[in-house]
């Protein structure tokens, strides 16, 4: 293993977001291999990374098909050369002008919807759409046997705007283990394929059958009838994904570099300069088998310090302590010690930062990748 | 009441952060009046606003004494003319170079600390410091009877770096009502004044005795011995502060403008385009008497829609539903309807945005104030 260059890491003001490129490339390769094996194309979700440099690595070095969660992402990634983009949040009619402007600039941008009102607006704007299918009761979408599916399909098809169906099993995050995730993957597949079949039986086209979430994408056994797979957080992974066995803690490519700024020895507290502003308020592991607080603490090289978590967070203060019940002494961490904190939820933690400080795959000096936000 | 100009609000892409300047000015005036009456100077905390325009309004139209939570804030606000700045997060030795650079540029920047190691580093750097006092067991600081207080005071005083003491009763957020907050205000006062007296008895100077949190600043009955009061979130207020009766819901100056993007009628769900990316993951009301979910929903004019909350949030999706047990029908909110969401925690919600869309106090067209982040 090539050791990261700690001299450039040590020069970083803290808190700072670190990205281990080697781990990220390993995570990207793993899902690319699965998609190839399952015979579907991969449409990575860029909502986690929001970085042009990261996007390029996700799509094999050249711009490729991607998913986005905001029109700002669509605009930035189109400017960076990506021309096949799915905007995977139900379309608001007011946003169609921006969608049309992007399409006029040569971006093949597709939207999603699940109501007749949206279909009417999209048809008037002549924008291609996927119909959102609800495979697990998680959020939006129509059940695949809902008669509205065919009505919406007909509205869209009158002007050639019906491109297919999509679903996302967000509930797969709440179960643990490969077998449970495989069941959700099959729910996604069945719902999407059934909806596609219903449209086809009604004489409507359905070229795209799109499914995915990070847990289901890593567990699907068979994707017969599906054309594409979507996933996002897998490129970085996080403690939530490790907590449901989609990855190991060692796969987590993202961490927050922080500095020790104080102690309350009687309470077993070590204070760090990473609070929720740097870590996010996400407590996604709170309901899991192992609650990681606001993050799992590592030394400055990224080696986990067993049972040490960020147990509490204020805006710019984190309180580090041993996990309840841990049977070991608190490590000696003098003021000025540098630590890394692994995040509960990579999407939320990355969103608190405007750049990735990248430990490059070849072990050279640290690089900086810009990260954008907004809508 | 002058009605906000909805034409410019309607032109905003959603989600977007709205700031009602009239409510903000009312909140600012309220605490300024209290501080005057209590005979202390006010040192507002800019960690909530992170905006030069908001800072100017906090300090009476011209640059004044402020508190910050990051050195990035100190740098931006010093560039904007503020020269008396307290950096109120325990100093890491590695940050002293940046502190010194700011001081050389004419910024009277003070740091805080609670250990001998920090005091040694600060003394070497010749940077003035306040000693942090723990008044309520919330986070950092020394108890006012800790012998280390005098030792640290002596280290700092050898080179004239001892400027005083400061404390913050963060635990006051966890109790409700003016009487309970007044008790915490008295804890703050007693602890800070006792520490100042201990230093003076040891022959050390203690010109600054600084206390404050938004709940205690609004409840303190008497601040004898205290020289300055700090508070931050009061300029915007939020549901957490309303939930402990420091303000009313009508005082909340900040909201997130959002658009309805879908429905699941069988579940009573309305989907909006404000998820945790726009609202933050903060669930500060979860432990309060009234759990507001991820925020309380208002119409586009800011009138509360009773019992309607954001019950769940994904990255770019919010699920709006009636509060559990609410005995009223779900209002009709077609796709495209604009709503406002009042935040649990103004600091966290504002941090998800790079600008304030300001409804000006005089009712004119909307203004845009830049908001910065980072460290």
């Amino acid at each position: 293993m090539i050791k990261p260059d700690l001299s450039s890491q040590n020069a970083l003001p803290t808190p700072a977001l670190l990205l281990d490129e080697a781990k990220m490339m390993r995570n990207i390769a793993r899902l690319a291999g699965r998609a190839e094996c399952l015979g579907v194309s991969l449409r990575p979700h860029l909502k986690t990374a929001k970085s042009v440099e990261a996007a390029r690595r996700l799509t094999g070095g050249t711009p490729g098909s991607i998913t986005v969660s905001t029109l700002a992402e669509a605009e930035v990634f189109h400017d960076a050369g990506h021309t096949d983009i799915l905007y995977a949040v139900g379309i608001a009619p007011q946003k169609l002008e921006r969608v049309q402007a992007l399409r006029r600039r040569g971006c093949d941008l597709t939207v999603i919807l699940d109501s007749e009102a949206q279909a009417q607006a999209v048809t008037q704007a002549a924008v291609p759409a996927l119909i959102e299918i609800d495979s697990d009761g998680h959020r939006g979408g129509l059940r695949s046997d809902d008669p509205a599916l065919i009505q919406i399909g007909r509205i869209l098809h009158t002007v050639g705007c019906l491109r297919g169906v999509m679903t996302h099993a967000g509930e797969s995050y709440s179960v643990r283990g490969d077998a449970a995730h495989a069941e959700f993957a099959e729910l996604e597949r069945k719902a999407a394929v059934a909806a596609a079949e219903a449209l086809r039986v009604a004489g409507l086209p359905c070229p795209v059958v799109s499914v995915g979430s990070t847990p289901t994408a890593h567990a699907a056994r068979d994707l017969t009838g599906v054309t594409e797979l979507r996933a996002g957080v897998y490129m970085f992974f996080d403690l939530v994904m490790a907590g449901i066995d989609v990855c190991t803690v060692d796969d987590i490519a993202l961490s927050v570099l922080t500095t020790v700024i104080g102690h309350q020895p009687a309470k077993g507290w070590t204070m760090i300069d990473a609070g929720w502003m740097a870590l996010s308020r996400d407590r996604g592991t709170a309901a899991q088998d192992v609650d990681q607080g606001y993050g799992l603490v590592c030394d400055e090289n990224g080696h986990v310090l067993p049972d040490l978590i960020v147990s509490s967070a204020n805006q710019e203060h984190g309180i580090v302590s041993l996990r309840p019940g841990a049977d070991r002494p608190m490590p000696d961490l003098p003021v000025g010690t540098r630590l890394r904190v692994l995040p509960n939820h990579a999407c939320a933690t990355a969103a608190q930062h405007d750049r990735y400080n990248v430990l490059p795959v070849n072990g050279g000096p640290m690089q900086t990748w810009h990260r954008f936000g907004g809508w």
Side-chain angles (χ1 to χ4, degrees), chain A residues 149-172:
Chain A
L149 172 68
I150 308 301
Q151 288 170 288
I152 292 170
R154 288 211 172 105
I155 295 168
L156 292 172
H157 184 54
T158 50
V159 289
C161 287
L162 177 59
R163 196 163 269 187
V165 294
M166 64 84 74
T167 192
H168 165 69
E171 288 298 307
S172 65

Side-chain angles (χ1 to χ4, degrees), chain A residues 239 249 255-256 258 260 270 272 279 292 294-300 302-311 318-323 330-331 333 337-343:
Chain A
L239 293 169
V249 166
S255 62
V256 174
T258 181
V260 171
T270 292
I272 56 174
L279 299 171
Q292 306 282 15
Y294 284 90
L296 188 59
V297 180
C298 304
D299 68 17
E300 63 181 339
H303 299 126
V304 171
L305 297 172
D307 288 329
L308 208 61
I309 62 172
V310 182
S311 51
I319 296 181
V320 169
S321 62
L322 289 169
R323 197 189 295 289
M330 184 74 187
L333 304 167
T337 304
R338 295 244 166 164
L339 300 168
R340 293 192 201 173
V341 180
L342 299 177

Side-chain angles (χ1 to χ4, degrees), chain A residues 190-312:
Chain A
K190 272 192 180 153
V193 170
E197 282 309 308
L199 288 168
R200 289 173 190 140
V201 164
L204 297 165
C206 189
V208 175
V209 182
S210 176
V211 303
S213 73
T214 287
T216 57
H218 287 80
R221 313 274 201 256
D222 167 51
L223 289 178
T224 303
V226 166
T227 65
E228 69 174 29
L229 193 58
R230 304 182 324 278
V233 75
Y234 74 97
M235 65 184 300
F236 296 152
F237 279 131
D238 53 28
L239 293 169
V240 165
M241 287 297 117
I244 57 171
D245 300 337
V246 178
C247 68
T248 66
V249 166
D250 184 59
D251 291 327
I252 301 173
L254 214 60
S255 62
V256 174
L257 185 69
T258 181
T259 304
V260 171
I261 58 169
H263 301 89
Q264 290 284 19
K267 295 172 175 164
W269 289 356
T270 292
M271 249 68 80
I272 56 174
D273 68 356
W276 59 252
M277 187 64 87
L279 299 171
S280 93
R281 265 291 190 204
D282 199 285
R283 287 283 289 108
T285 56
Q288 293 193 331
D289 294 342
V290 178
D291 183 347
Q292 306 282 15
Y294 284 90
L296 188 59
V297 180
C298 304
D299 68 17
E300 63 181 339
N301 294 303
H303 299 126
V304 171
L305 297 172
D307 288 329
L308 208 61
I309 62 172
V310 182
S311 51
S312 170

Side-chain angles (χ1 to χ4, degrees), chain A residues 65 81 183 253 353 359:
Chain A
S65 304
E183 281 179 37
H353 298 262
L359 307 161

